[in-house]
Amino acid sequence: MINLKSIVLSGKEVLPIIEGGKGINGTDGRSSGHFAKEGCVGTISLVSADCYDNNGKVIMERSTRLKRQERHEDLIAMAIKGGIAQAQIAHEIAGDNGRIHVNELWELADSETVITEVLKGAKGLIHGVTCGAGLPYKLGEIASEHGVYYYPIVSSSRAFQILWKRSYSKYAAFLGGVVYEDPWLAGGHNGLSNAENPEEPQDPYNRIKELRATLNKLGLGETPIIIAGGVWCLSDWENYLDNPEIGKVAFQFGTRPMITKESPVSDAWKKVMLNTKAGDVVLQRFSPTGFYSSAIKNKFMARLMARKEGEIEYRTEAADGFDTPLNLSNVKTVYIKAADLAKADNQINAGFTVIQETPDSTVVFLTPEEWKVMKEDRAKCLGCLSQCQFSAWSGATGTTGKLCDPRTYCIHKTLFDISHNGSTDDNLLFAGHQVYRFGQDPLYANGYIPTTHELIEAIKAGR
């Protein structure tokens, strides 16, 4: 039995067990409400949260307006409405138990607006805001204005020091904790810096120890560190408990709560996770955010990987060994190395006849159908990110001014589809690197789907 002590988070004593927020519909009011009901912290995802019509039916997120800016405005309005609706559901389930947090991705377009308006519309129902995927420097200001605690997500002590110096030192009273998300183990978008090798994972203990030393130096010795990424059962992390080098600590569970009866994840997605094996999760950089991310290798991911493997460097003029002409779909001719001609011919002969340039002076090969879908997705862009490599959208200026990158994809489309019963083969399946443990976990034996209560009881017992 784990010696699990309660901890004060967002102004209340709770168990140090937190539901990871995830992206579109990965957690909702029902899942977070049940987490809080168990005396833990539930976390609602504010990323395109579902809202409902008068009959309780989900209003599918659609916009038929012609201008991208108008579609973007519709997207934000729906996200705010959905966030408020999910907070109300969570509160009704949890009652006065536990705490309810919301999670937002900072690099979403108008994330500040979504957080602000949801906190206004769900006043008193939300106790904390978690935010990562970028450096959420205005998070402390927004949360403090509404009397709500904030929890920045970082992957290094250096990232927190930047945030503290730039902003958080002015809003220390409502800093509820710091989430350390391991960039090699977490699912979804990861905080790997350019100086870190994705193929060489580092021991989280030393990185968390360094973060604690930084917090102590800044006078934040009592501020909890919330460990996220790779957290499956507390017996794996027992040496972090009651450890003066680590200090006050709580644990955020991301992947494991995705398979409960209260989880909004579809049955088909749950089935995939139950059957995932070690090594099936790929750490890659195909996301249009530019961040590394971790996802299950399925048909969708395999095609992105194959497209990247088929990439060929080119020059616009013959020079320095780039002297073999390659016709880009009868639009223009570029020059590749003679050694790459066979690679290009093999892809063209296999049906990948549409050749598209990338922003890095390379070309990739697509089928006509892939290119058709890609053009349609760009035309329907909702402007979900502050900057998007796939569509070249920029929330600040309307466009990044850069070439659209055909190595990426419309992230909103695929995540919304999979979270609303879409194909598990043809969509992105974010997951942490320990998802294979579902197949080894007695709690899920023979495909059993536990309740949130059963999961929390197992976690409390260290199982």
Side-chain angles (χ1 to χ4, degrees):
M1 191 76 175
I2 296 294
N3 182 24
L4 196 61
K5 298 177 182 177
S6 297
I7 188 172
V8 176
L9 292 173
S10 297
K12 186 172 183 177
E13 191 172 283
V14 295
L15 289 170
I17 300 170
I18 300 172
E19 176 190 29
K22 294 178 278 293
I24 295 178
N25 211 40
T27 59
D28 63 2
R30 184 168 179 244
S31 69
S32 58
H34 280 279
F35 245 77
K37 186 178 180 180
E38 296 296 322
C40 303
V41 177
T43 307
I44 300 164
S45 172
L46 291 188
V47 185
S48 293
D50 280 344
C51 58
Y52 309 93
D53 62 20
N54 293 333
N55 297 316
K57 185 178 179 181
V58 173
I59 300 173
M60 298 302 285
E61 194 175 70
R62 297 286 185 270
S63 177
T64 57
R65 295 209 279 176
L66 295 179
K67 294 182 179 179
R68 187 182 293 177
Q69 179 61 34
E70 293 174 336
R71 296 195 297 270
H72 166 73
E73 291 168 0
D74 291 343
L75 175 77
I76 298 305
M78 289 282 286
I80 294 167
K81 186 176 180 181
I84 295 169
Q86 297 304 326
Q88 292 168 340
I89 292 169
H91 177 72
E92 290 172 4
I93 294 171
D96 294 326
N97 300 305
R99 297 277 87 175
I100 298 295
H101 289 183
V102 292
N103 179 72
E104 180 67 299
L105 306 183
W106 190 249
E107 286 303 318
L108 288 179
D110 283 340
S111 57
E112 297 173 40
T113 301
V114 174
I115 295 170
T116 300
E117 294 304 315
V118 170
L119 291 180
K120 285 181 183 178
K123 186 175 177 61
L125 307 182
I126 295 168
H127 310 108
V129 183
T130 305
C131 194
L135 290 173
Y137 60 93
K138 291 196 72 174
L139 179 63
E141 179 183 353
I142 295 169
S144 298
E145 286 178 355
H146 293 86
V148 170
Y149 292 88
Y150 65 101
Y151 300 80
I153 301 173
V154 300
S155 60
S156 68
S157 62
R158 180 177 177 272
F160 180 76
Q161 287 182 75
I162 293 171
L163 290 167
W164 178 261
K165 184 176 181 179
R166 183 171 181 178
S167 173
Y168 293 173
S169 59
K170 304 172 188 175
Y171 307 99
F174 282 96
L175 178 62
V178 180
V179 182
Y180 167 79
E181 185 175 75
D182 190 89
W184 290 277
L185 294 173
H189 291 109
N190 303 41
L192 277 168
S193 71
N194 291 331
E196 292 165 331
N197 189 339
E199 303 298 327
E200 296 180 3
Q202 296 178 16
D203 183 354
Y205 185 92
N206 292 328
R207 293 169 69 93
I208 295 169
K209 176 183 172 182
E210 182 180 358
L211 176 58
R212 172 53 66 195
T214 296
L215 295 177
N216 290 343
K217 185 177 179 180
L218 297 173
L220 301 171
E222 294 300 305
T223 301
I225 294 175
I226 297 161
I227 300 174
V231 179
W232 190 269
C233 62
L234 294 182
S235 58
D236 297 338
W237 301 83
E238 201 162 1
N239 63 321
Y240 289 70
L241 298 171
D242 299 316
N243 185 331
E245 290 188 326
I246 303 299
K248 286 187 177 180
V249 68
F251 298 89
Q252 180 172 297
F253 291 78
T255 299
R256 205 175 179 195
M258 292 178 75
I259 302 186
T260 63
K261 285 186 168 63
E262 294 82 11
S263 167
V265 171
S266 71
D267 290 343
W269 192 354
K270 290 175 183 176
K271 185 176 180 180
V272 170
M273 288 189 287
L274 284 169
N275 291 283
T276 300
K277 302 294 187 295
D280 284 352
V281 173
V282 181
L283 179 61
Q284 35 67 36
R285 209 169 188 175
F286 299 124
S287 170
T289 62
F291 295 128
Y292 278 96
S293 63
S294 297
I296 295 172
K297 186 178 179 181
N298 60 355
K299 180 182 173 183
F300 179 90
M301 184 57 60
R303 180 65 198 113
L304 287 170
M305 293 170 69
R307 187 178 302 160
K308 175 66 178 175
E309 290 169 2
E311 187 175 15
I312 294 175
E313 190 177 2
Y314 77 88
R315 297 288 184 270
T316 55
E317 296 180 359
D320 301 326
F322 290 83
D323 51 14
T324 302
L326 179 68
N327 184 270
L328 301 188
S329 305
N330 296 316
V331 175
K332 69 177 182 180
T333 297
V334 298
Y335 297 89
I336 63 176
K337 293 179 180 179
D340 286 330
L341 182 59
K343 185 177 181 180
D345 287 342
N346 287 339
Q347 294 184 82
I348 293 170
N349 292 335
F352 300 98
T353 55
V354 179
I355 310 172
Q356 288 297 307
E357 297 173 81
T358 80
D360 298 323
S361 296
T362 63
V363 292
V364 292
F365 298 76
L366 300 86
T367 66
E369 180 59 27
E370 287 175 336
W371 179 230
K372 177 184 177 183
V373 171
M374 191 171 287
K375 289 191 293 183
E376 290 174 351
D377 289 346
R378 285 174 179 157
K380 296 176 182 177
C381 174
L382 296 170
C384 68
L385 298 175
S386 61
Q387 293 189 78
C388 179
Q389 295 179 358
F390 175 75
S391 67
W393 154 265
S394 167
T397 60
T399 177
T400 63
K402 298 179 181 179
L403 194 66
C404 296
D405 196 334
R407 296 167 297 187
T408 62
Y409 50 86
C410 178
I411 193 167
H412 185 275
K413 173 190 173 182
T414 186
L415 292 182
F416 193 88
D417 193 34
I418 188 59
S419 67
H420 293 84
N421 298 306
S423 167
T424 56
D425 287 326
D426 302 316
N427 284 300
L428 183 68
L429 300 180
F430 276 150
H433 288 259
Q434 299 208 43
V435 65
Y436 70 91
R437 293 180 69 169
F438 279 121
Q440 305 171 359
D441 193 328
L443 185 62
Y444 301 89
N446 301 314
Y448 181 71
I449 308 296
T451 63
T452 299
H453 172 74
E454 290 173 316
L455 172 60
I456 298 300
E457 288 300 306
I459 292 172
K460 287 160 58 177
R463 294 184 277 107

